[in-house]
Amino acid sequence: MNQKSGKASIKPTQPVYILNSASVVGTKEGEGPLGLLFDKVGEDDLFGCATWEEAESKLQKEAVGLALDKEGLRPEDISFVFAGDLLGQSMATSFGISTYQIPLLGVYGACSTCGEALTLGAMSIAGGFADKCVCVTSSHFASAEKEFRFPLEYGNQRPLSASWTVTGSGAFVLGREAKGINGKARAAVTAMTVGKVVDYGLRDSMNMGACMAPAAADTLAQHFTDFAVTPEAYDRIITGDLGKVGQRVLVDLLRERGIDISKQHIDCGIEIFDGESQDTHAGGSGCGCSAVTLSAYVLKQLEEENWKKVLFMPTGALLSKTSFNEGRSVPGIAHAVVLESVG
């Protein structure tokens, strides 16, 4: 049966379920508004490792291990793992989860990677190609600063439009059954909209919210068209890491198209930190931002049925240090996943 809907969306004939999940974060995230909801908060941001990159690998390893343990599963019970990070050649993933020896499909969508991984995992299960999948992403403030901006030792000043890369990893176990080991699954994946690269020619890597917002607007508009729905169909429309600047741009861009999401919209990058007391400027970002917020906060709201249906849409800025140094623009992409309470 055809599961494609409209131009860019997919609606599985049967829902795919998030059976369980886990979130592991750094110290700053643990001090934020969601601190008590995370499964594990590190005692220091090196997590007992010698380098920032090794620490990020450990984040992924621990998140996957926790998610599997919570669901009573072993690595051999998993068909595929869809995983990615922000570092060159996805090195945090390669070194982080290699010990599990689960067939790996590495993905990269910058900070939208969580949405991409969940989409591919759900497609694999809905298509009958897998029984259970793990989706995991990570980021680390210090490793991302070294990769894309300046090493911490440089001590550069950050403009107010800059976001703070989240140190964290979120892992999700997907399956075809509506019940997990502790009863009902955490949420049902009922539809997905795959985003495309959108480039407005912006070049400011210290204002990634504005760079990503056009892609978020494009994916949302396409989603509403493909499913013939309005923002009111969702209790919340949740972007990944637009922050305060990107949020304003997104709302304005959609209003120009006759769409108003201001009542439903929240952003993981705004929710995860207290911008004033924690001095995170525009908010949080990074592959780990949307992943840990989804695991710790969004799924909790769906489990408790405070929300019945949400649209989860991580956003990514597709730049590299090479493209930036060559004066190229910062394109964006966003992937949307419909999550519903199992009830």
Side-chain angles (χ1 to χ4, degrees), residues 33-51:
L34 307 182
L36 295 178
L37 302 180
F38 299 121
D39 291 301
K40 182 175 181 180
V41 179
E43 294 181 3
D44 68 82
D45 288 346
L46 275 170
F47 291 86
C49 300
T51 67

Side-chain angles (χ1 to χ4, degrees), residues 154-178:
Y154 184 73
N156 63 299
Q157 288 185 309
R158 301 163 57 81
L160 293 177
S161 62
S163 55
W164 188 281
T165 303
V166 165
T167 297
S169 177
F172 307 86
V173 180
L174 272 57
R176 61 180 74 253
E177 303 297 328

